[in-house]
Amino acid sequence: MAELQSSANALCFAFRGGEMLVRVDADAVRVPRGREVATLLDAGTPIPAGDVGGAECVALAVEGEAHAPEGMEFRGLRGLHAVLGADEFRMAGRASQILEWDRAHRFCGRCGSPTQPGPEPLARACTGCDAVHYPRLSPAVLISIIHQNRILLARGPQFTPGMYSVLAGFVEPGESLEETCIREAREEVGVEIAEVRYVASQPWPFPSQVMIAFTSTYAGGEIVPQPGEIEEARWFTVDEIPMVPAPLSLSRTLIDRFVREQGGDPAALRDPRSPPA
Ligand SMILES: [Zn+2]
């Protein structure tokens, strides 16, 4: 009974695939409380996900066929970045990763037996071999490479046309984050870097990453784009910066930092959401 009561008041981060249920009022988009989505809660298995500003939160997977209750809609997580508060968006990302992990670990990766929740929150234990499985994150680095008054930006074949960004890459087994930066710069654009320095990190729930941003300085080599990975890579002065990722992304944080250091105004940069010039 106590559990029911707490679910009724909890903020409910309900996902249908990659889309999250939100209540859309005239003036705001917000995360529904459990009691507003009681039918969905009854049909599923809510997972405790922590709290936001003292309010308990649950993550809930809903069936692909489920309809949104009246006054609510399912929306893509990326699009909610700009409309939810920072803490709620962070919890939405956490909830989506917990659900993805829960869904993908119904069976033990070691022996193939079914798993069950426990022995602690955010764990699933194997019923066959007792292995305990926890959510995994994939760390990835972002690297800005600066050479005097220029920054190296590159574009991948999957980018929005005209958009460039800093280099990015996944950490491989056995590497420090700084070593990943050095390897990625060498592989993706053929240049050597030095003075690799930590700037910031950010959870990135698409689907289960944590991004770690570094700055570095150019230390040698000619730009040679890696076939298949990098379509074009170039040096840009602050006045030449092309379309770049939207604010709030950590890539953009690195680019804005360079622009500020060069006396420019990051607010003047164009991103894929800017109106056409
Ligand atoms: Zn097992």
Side-chain angles (χ1 to χ4, degrees), residues 1 9 12 27 33 35-36 53 55 59 64 70 117 119 132 142 146 159 163 167 178-179 194 219 265 275:
M1 202 56 195
N9 286 321
C12 185
D27 55 345
R33 295 274 173 177
R35 60 180 166 274
E36 298 173 272
E70 196 169 337
V132 179
L142 297 167
I146 314 286
F159 280 26
M163 191 179 86
L167 301 184
E178 290 81 357
E179 286 166 345
D265 176 12

Side-chain angles (χ1 to χ4, degrees), residues 108 110-113 126 128-131:
C108 178
R110 190 175 290 167
C111 77
S113 302
C126 176
C129 74
D130 290 336

Side-chain angles (χ1 to χ4, degrees), residues 80-92:
L80 292 173
H81 207 165
V83 293
L84 290 181
D87 289 345
E88 286 195 344
F89 180 76
R90 185 174 293 250
M91 178 54 78

Side-chain angles (χ1 to χ4, degrees), residues 69-125:
E70 196 169 337
M72 302 189 203
E73 46 190 77
F74 285 99
R75 289 208 186 163
L77 184 56
R78 279 173 192 268
L80 292 173
H81 207 165
V83 293
L84 290 181
D87 289 345
E88 286 195 344
F89 180 76
R90 185 174 293 250
M91 178 54 78
R94 176 175 158 85
S96 110
Q97 291 176 62
I98 289 172
L99 293 170
E100 170 60 24
W101 161 76
D102 189 69
R103 192 189 60 73
H105 289 79
R106 294 294 161 86
F107 295 91
C108 178
R110 190 175 290 167
C111 77
S113 302
T115 63
Q116 60 189 19
E120 52 192 294
L122 296 192
R124 291 189 71 92

